[in-house]
């Protein structure tokens, strides 16, 4: 579990409930706080709590400038990736218990295999002729007499449900994971509703885009997709929703370092949040009042006020001494480093006076120093040694001030003027 940030986690819990109930459409969340206060961890926690069927797309604000497409197209594709479509369709299946499998191999050794498959339910029994592809599928799934299977009539896909309870007393070698199921009732052929939750709107866009096609999904080079293609797909998905064939799953789009976006991107986000097909937008930033990229205007978090007005803002606070100590203890267990009680206290103090990330980075280096002297437990001397070897941000700044004239391209005077 996550340590500290109780108020932020409670707020995130309320956001999670709103997402599940569908009450957050057209709104977004901003997680703001100092570096190293768990902003990304909270966003990942929301995504995991929504379940595996909910699409989650993560994007850094600086990424959109390095992609070979326009900024708004990169954001459009990220929005579409974060929207899932649950498509429902009815299919005919054959479900029964395998009584016998007969496979006839040609006497000459060449030619296709043929065979017969006997399936039964509690009410009937039928023999089916098998072709070479079905025989190969049965062999691949390791189907044998006594297994309960389903066969999709449209695709020929075989799914093994388990072993029949009538074979529970057999003395065959079976693993502990073997699952026993009842013999199916009724007729062998049945109609079953199948739900596909793997298709994302972005994937549908790529497949239907004439310039790219299906292979672009594997190459990753999707390029720019025309707005006409997206409009046609939106209309088709809306038609499926009205007919009850499809259901939209609004996912989560997480944009880290959102202060790196410019006015063009913020204007696009404002418009995109008003769309019917809009995911839940979660943004994170560690900036205070700063300049909006591409302008000379300053704003809280580097975000325009009209977009800030739409956001639910969650603030993260610095960790207390007790929380810092607990985080460092968990990190030591993860990195398999044993600290003495005195060394743990010193490392906690370093984390409070410098930064938590700096203290975490000292754990592995102190562990190496301890192993070099063939010790089993990191002592205060090991922490002091690595503390003297590696500078934190404040000591590095102090070093620059003292030796600024020795470095090339010194611009301290300009820096002071800017401040």
């Amino acid at each position: 579990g996550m340590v500290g940030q109780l108020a932020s986690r409670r707020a995130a819990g309320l956001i999670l409930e709103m997402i599940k109930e569908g009450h957050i459409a057209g709104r977004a969340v901003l997680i703001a706080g100092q570096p190293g206060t768990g902003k990304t961890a909270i966003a990942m926690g929301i995504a995991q709590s929504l379940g595996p069927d909910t699409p989650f797309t993560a994007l850094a604000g600086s990424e959109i400038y390095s992609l070979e497409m326009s900024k708004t197209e990169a954001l459009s594709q990220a929005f579409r990736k974060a929207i899932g479509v649950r498509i429902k369709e009815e299919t005919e299946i054959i479900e029964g218990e395998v009584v016998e499998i007969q496979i006839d191999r040609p006497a000459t050794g060449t030619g296709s295999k043929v065979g017969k498959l006997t399936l039964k339910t509690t009410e009937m029994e039928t023999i089916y002729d098998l072709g070479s592809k079905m025989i190969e599928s049965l062999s691949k799934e390791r189907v044998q007499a006594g297994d309960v299977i389903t066969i999709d009539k449209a695709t020929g896909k075989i799914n093994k449900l388990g072993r029949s309870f009538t074979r529970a007393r057999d003395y065959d070698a079976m693993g502990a994971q073997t699952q026993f199921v009842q013999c199916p009732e009724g007729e062998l052929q049945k109609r079953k509703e199948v739900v596909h939750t793997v298709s994302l709107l972005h994937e549908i866009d790529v497949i239907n885009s004439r310039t790219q096609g299906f292979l672009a999904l594997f190459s990753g080079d999707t390029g720019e997709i025309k707005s006409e293609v997206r409009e046609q797909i939106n209309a088709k998905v809306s038609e499926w929703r009205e007919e009850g064939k499809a259901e939209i799953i609004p996912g989560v789009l997480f944009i880290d370092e959102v202060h790196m976006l410019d006015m063009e991107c913020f204007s696009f986000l404002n418009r995109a949040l008003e769309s019917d097909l809009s995911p839940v937008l979660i943004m994170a930033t560690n900036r205070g009042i700063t300049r909006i990229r591409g302008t000379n205007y300053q704003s809280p978090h580097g975000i325009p006020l009209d977009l800030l007005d739409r956001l639910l803002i969650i603030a993260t606070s610095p960790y207390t001494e007790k929380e810092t100590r607990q985080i460092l203890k968990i990190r030591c267990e993860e990195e398999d480093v044993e600290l003495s009680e005195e060394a743990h206290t010193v490392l906690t103090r370093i984390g409070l006076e410098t930064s938590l990330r700096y203290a975490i980075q000292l754990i592995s280096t102190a562990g190496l120093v301890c192993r070099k002297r063939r010790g089993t437990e990191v002592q205060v001397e090991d922490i002091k040694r690595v503390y003297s070897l590696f500078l934190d941000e404040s000591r590095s700044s102090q070093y620059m001030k003292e030796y600024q004239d020795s470095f090339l391209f010194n611009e301290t005077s300009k820096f002071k003027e800017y401040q």
Side-chain angles (χ1 to χ4, degrees):
M2 191 175 173
V3 177
Q5 306 296 347
L6 292 177
S8 305
R9 283 155 60 191
R10 287 195 186 102
L14 288 173
I15 297 294
L16 183 66
E17 291 301 316
M18 290 172 72
I19 294 170
K20 288 180 178 178
E21 293 176 9
H23 295 325
I24 199 168
R27 278 180 282 183
V29 180
L30 175 67
I31 305 174
Q34 298 175 14
T37 51
K39 298 183 292 295
T40 306
I42 290 172
M44 295 297 179
I46 291 173
Q48 289 184 5
S49 300
L50 287 169
D53 285 346
T54 305
F56 179 81
T57 304
L59 178 74
S62 53
E63 275 183 49
I64 64 168
Y65 300 104
S66 59
L67 298 173
E68 294 180 354
M69 59 183 78
S70 67
K71 294 173 285 186
T72 53
E73 176 63 22
L75 287 171
S76 292
Q77 292 192 11
F79 263 75
R80 304 282 283 189
K81 282 178 187 175
I83 303 170
V85 184
R86 187 179 284 132
I87 300 171
K88 303 173 186 176
E89 62 178 358
E90 280 196 349
T91 182
E92 286 192 359
I93 62 166
I94 299 169
E95 184 178 19
E97 179 187 335
V98 179
V99 178
E100 187 182 11
I101 303 174
Q102 292 180 350
I103 299 174
D104 300 327
R105 293 174 175 82
T108 58
T110 59
S112 59
K113 299 175 186 177
V114 291
K116 294 183 184 294
L117 172 67
T118 308
L119 290 177
K120 72 168 186 177
T121 64
T122 54
E123 297 178 10
M124 63 186 295
E125 184 174 314
T126 306
I127 300 173
Y128 294 95
D129 292 326
L130 297 176
S132 58
K133 286 188 178 179
M134 286 299 294
I135 291 170
E136 191 179 328
S137 299
L138 288 168
S139 302
K140 189 178 178 181
E141 293 291 332
R142 297 180 181 178
V143 175
Q144 56 185 341
D147 288 340
V148 177
I149 64 170
T150 62
I151 304 172
D152 191 330
K153 287 187 71 176
T155 61
K157 184 182 177 184
I158 295 171
N159 185 24
K160 189 158 69 171
L161 303 179
R163 294 283 290 173
S164 174
F165 273 113
T166 56
R167 302 288 180 131
R169 295 181 179 274
D170 286 2
Y171 292 97
D172 297 339
M174 289 182 290
Q177 72 275 11
T178 303
Q179 184 179 359
F180 291 96
V181 294
Q182 294 284 356
C183 181
E185 299 177 354
E187 295 186 359
L188 279 162
Q189 294 193 31
K190 299 172 184 174
R191 291 188 68 84
K192 187 178 181 181
E193 188 181 75
V194 180
V195 179
H196 304 283
T197 56
V198 292
S199 299
L200 300 179
L201 271 181
H202 174 64
E203 292 177 3
I204 300 172
D205 291 345
V206 173
I207 291 169
N208 286 276
S209 178
R210 291 181 183 176
T211 57
Q212 301 299 328
F214 180 71
L215 292 175
L217 286 174
F218 301 98
S219 65
D221 182 21
T222 57
E224 296 207 9
I225 297 167
K226 293 180 180 179
S227 58
E228 293 83 2
V229 174
R230 290 199 173 112
E231 287 172 6
Q232 289 173 9
I233 290 165
N234 289 351
K236 192 65 179 175
V237 170
S238 299
E239 186 183 322
W240 287 348
R241 287 174 70 185
E242 290 175 4
E243 294 173 359
K245 291 181 181 179
E247 182 185 350
I248 297 294
I249 310 168
V252 175
L253 173 59
F254 175 58
I255 303 179
D256 205 359
E257 302 172 357
V258 71
H259 52 267
M260 293 297 295
L261 301 182
D262 58 14
M263 283 300 292
E264 186 181 350
C265 298
F266 286 128
S267 299
F268 173 83
L269 291 179
N270 245 332
R271 185 181 61 82
L273 286 172
E274 296 174 354
S275 171
D276 294 335
L277 296 174
S278 174
V280 177
L281 180 61
I282 299 178
M283 300 180 284
T285 181
N286 54 18
R287 299 297 170 95
I289 297 174
T290 185
R291 188 172 60 86
I292 301 170
R293 181 170 177 151
T295 70
N296 294 320
Y297 299 104
Q298 289 190 338
S299 179
H301 314 298
I303 300 172
L305 293 176
D306 57 340
L307 181 58
L308 270 176
D309 197 35
R310 287 178 176 270
L311 305 180
L312 292 168
I313 302 174
I314 300 174
T316 57
S317 55
Y319 291 108
T320 63
E321 183 176 351
K322 184 180 178 182
E323 291 166 353
T324 304
R325 188 181 184 89
Q326 191 176 351
I327 291 167
L328 291 172
K329 184 180 179 182
I330 293 168
R331 194 66 188 178
C332 288
E333 291 173 359
E334 287 290 324
E335 298 192 15
D336 198 19
V337 175
E338 290 189 16
L339 263 71
S340 65
E341 196 63 32
E342 295 81 7
H344 202 160
T345 304
V346 171
L347 195 62
T348 304
R349 178 56 54 189
I350 290 172
L352 290 171
E353 291 179 358
T354 58
S355 70
L356 179 61
R357 286 175 177 169
Y358 175 71
I360 287 172
Q361 289 174 11
L362 292 184
I363 293 172
S364 55
T365 51
L368 288 171
V369 171
C370 177
R371 283 205 295 273
K372 190 176 180 181
R373 64 173 178 81
R374 297 183 180 179
T376 57
E377 195 177 55
V378 174
Q379 302 295 332
V380 176
E381 290 74 21
D382 302 322
I383 299 291
K384 286 181 178 178
R385 179 162 176 76
V386 294
Y387 181 76
S388 64
L389 290 172
F390 301 102
L391 301 179
D392 60 274
E393 182 269 332
S394 60
R395 284 187 295 157
S396 177
S397 300
Q398 185 63 33
Y399 180 83
M400 289 294 135
K401 290 176 184 176
E402 291 178 8
Y403 299 98
Q404 57 188 344
D405 295 330
S406 302
F407 287 87
L408 293 175
F409 308 113
N410 177 37
E411 297 184 2
T412 312
S413 56
K414 289 183 181 179
F415 180 71
K416 284 180 180 177
E417 287 175 9
Y418 177 75
Q419 284 184 322

